[in-house]
């Protein structure tokens, strides 16, 4: 689903850039005939499309790690996109097809960046739309309550990482702005398990949210998002039998 939205953003950027270069004809492009512009300019749009799509696997990996968008992530992705497209555009500009005369510095400062900064608001808006669409589609609020009236925690379902028993309390581990936090509630693990059957019991003292499974650390421990949790022998079969691709890999430890 996320890749579909990224494809649409890349397509919007490519189409907008192509029409901008052909119809507005900034800089020295105006000297070219409309026919020449139609023949030459779409390649810049194609370069921007592939420059964006190349970064999608990296962004998906970052999203799985933090499961949240952030200002710094956006800066990082847009900066990488900018660098990739700049290099690709300049290579094409100096090719025999365009045969551009500007040096790299002159092309960057006088041609590329003025165009990029005009395009930037569209990139920011499109990515904001993606994040809003994905968050609204996937987010589901859950409320964890303790025995005390003020003992309450409300978070998005995907932010809950795991719940661990601590005598008459439970430690709730959850993400906030991509950072793992812990909340102590006066209740039992059995109560949490009955309220949220989507959580998986992997140990008598631990429940996990399966969407945060990362890998088997060893035969008795799994890695979640920013957290490692022990696995009891009695629950290994249940975990490995789950219809969850990350938990059914050939690298998973064998049942003893």
């Amino acid at each position: 689903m996320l890749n579909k939205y990224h494809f649409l953003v890349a397509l919007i950027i490519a189409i907008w850039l192509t029409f901008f270069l052909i119809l507005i004809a900034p800089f020295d492009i105006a000297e070219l005939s409309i026919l020449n512009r139609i023949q030459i300019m779409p390649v810049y749009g194609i370069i921007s499309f592939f420059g964006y799509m190349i970064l999608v696997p990296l962004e998906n990996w970052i999203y799985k790690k933090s499961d949240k968008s952030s200002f710094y992530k956006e800066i990082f992705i847009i900066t990488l996109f900018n660098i990739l497209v700049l290099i690709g555009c300049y290579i094409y500009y100096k090719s025999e097809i365009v045969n551009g005369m500007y040096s790299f510095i002159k092309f960057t400062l006088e041609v590329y960046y003025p165009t990029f900064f005009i395009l930037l608001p569209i990139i920011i808006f499109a990515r904001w739309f993606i994040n809003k669409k994905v968050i609204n589609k996937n987010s589901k609020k859950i409320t964890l309550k303790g025995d005390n009236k003020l003992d309450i925690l409300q978070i998005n379902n995907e932010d809950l990482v795991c719940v661990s028993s601590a005598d008459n309390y439970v430690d709730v581990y959850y993400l906030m702005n991509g950072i793992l936090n812990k909340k102590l509630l006066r209740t039992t693990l059995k109560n949490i398990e009955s309220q949220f059957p989507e959580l998986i019991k992997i140990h008598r003292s631990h429940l996990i949210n399966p969407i945060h499974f990362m890998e088997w650390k060893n035969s008795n421990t799994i890695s979640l998002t920013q957290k490692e949790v022990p696995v009891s022998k009695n629950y290994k079969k249940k975990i490995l039998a789950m219809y969850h691709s990350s938990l059914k890999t050939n690298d998973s430890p064998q049942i003893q």
Side-chain angles (χ1 to χ4, degrees):
M1 182 63 70
L2 193 60
N3 288 345
K4 180 184 79 172
Y5 291 126
H6 281 308
F7 177 85
L8 290 175
V9 171
L11 194 61
I12 289 169
I13 292 171
I15 292 173
W16 184 93
L17 181 60
T18 299
F19 276 94
F20 174 77
L21 294 175
I22 292 174
L23 300 179
I24 305 302
F27 319 114
D28 57 348
I29 298 175
E31 299 175 3
L32 299 175
S33 68
I34 187 69
L35 181 60
N36 285 337
R37 284 183 239 158
I38 292 173
Q39 291 173 336
I40 295 173
M41 297 303 125
V43 177
Y44 288 110
I46 294 171
I47 291 170
S48 68
F49 176 86
F50 283 104
Y52 189 95
M53 293 303 296
I54 284 172
L55 295 176
V56 171
L58 173 63
E59 183 164 6
N60 287 342
W61 179 80
I62 294 173
Y63 184 84
K64 287 180 181 178
K65 288 290 185 181
S66 66
D67 211 27
K68 284 289 183 181
S69 178
S70 71
F71 174 78
Y72 295 108
K73 187 193 84 170
E74 289 300 305
I75 293 295
F76 177 68
I77 293 297
I78 291 175
T79 299
L80 283 183
F81 169 73
N82 170 45
I83 293 171
L84 285 175
V85 175
L86 170 58
I87 294 172
C89 286
Y90 185 70
I91 290 173
Y92 175 62
Y93 174 77
K94 297 297 286 186
S95 70
E96 294 182 358
I97 298 174
V98 181
N99 198 25
M101 301 302 294
Y102 287 176
S103 66
F104 179 75
I105 299 297
K106 188 176 179 66
F107 174 82
T108 301
L109 298 179
E110 298 185 13
V111 177
Y112 178 80
Y113 273 116
T115 305
F116 179 79
F117 286 127
I118 294 172
L119 179 63
L120 185 59
I122 296 175
I123 298 173
I124 293 173
F125 175 79
R127 290 185 58 80
W128 168 82
F129 178 79
I130 281 184
N131 291 323
K132 184 178 180 181
K133 193 78 174 177
V134 171
I135 290 171
N136 288 342
K137 188 174 182 67
N138 296 333
S139 293
K140 176 185 175 184
K141 290 285 186 180
I142 58 173
T143 302
L144 297 94
K145 297 180 180 179
D147 295 337
N148 300 324
K149 290 184 178 180
L150 300 180
D151 223 6
I152 188 170
L153 176 65
Q154 187 178 67
I155 56 176
N156 291 326
N157 179 63
E158 68 270 16
D159 289 336
L160 178 60
V161 177
C162 65
V163 182
S164 300
S165 175
D167 295 327
N168 295 324
Y169 296 83
V170 294
D171 288 321
V172 181
Y173 293 89
Y174 63 99
L175 297 175
M176 180 177 290
N177 297 323
I179 299 174
L180 189 68
N181 289 265
K182 181 173 75 171
K183 172 75 173 179
L184 186 67
L185 298 177
R186 185 179 177 84
T187 187
T188 64
L189 200 68
K190 186 176 181 180
N191 286 340
I192 298 294
E193 186 178 11
S194 64
Q195 293 177 49
F196 304 102
E198 64 268 28
L199 298 180
I200 304 300
K201 193 168 188 178
I202 64 166
H203 189 279
R204 66 180 182 179
S205 300
H206 300 283
L207 298 170
I208 69 165
N209 187 344
I211 67 173
H212 285 284
F213 175 87
M214 302 292 289
E215 63 178 352
W216 286 91
K217 189 74 174 178
N218 53 54
S219 61
N220 298 308
T221 308
I222 60 173
S223 293
L224 306 176
T225 304
Q226 303 180 32
K227 177 73 176 170
E228 292 182 2
V229 182
V231 178
S232 172
K233 181 179 179 180
N234 295 332
Y235 293 98
K236 282 186 180 179
K237 284 187 177 181
K238 181 179 179 181
I239 297 172
L240 293 171
M242 287 175 52
Y243 188 70
H244 190 293
S245 59
S246 297
L247 296 176
K248 296 181 70 178
T249 62
N250 293 331
D251 295 331
S252 298
Q254 299 297 315
I255 303 299
Q256 300 295 326

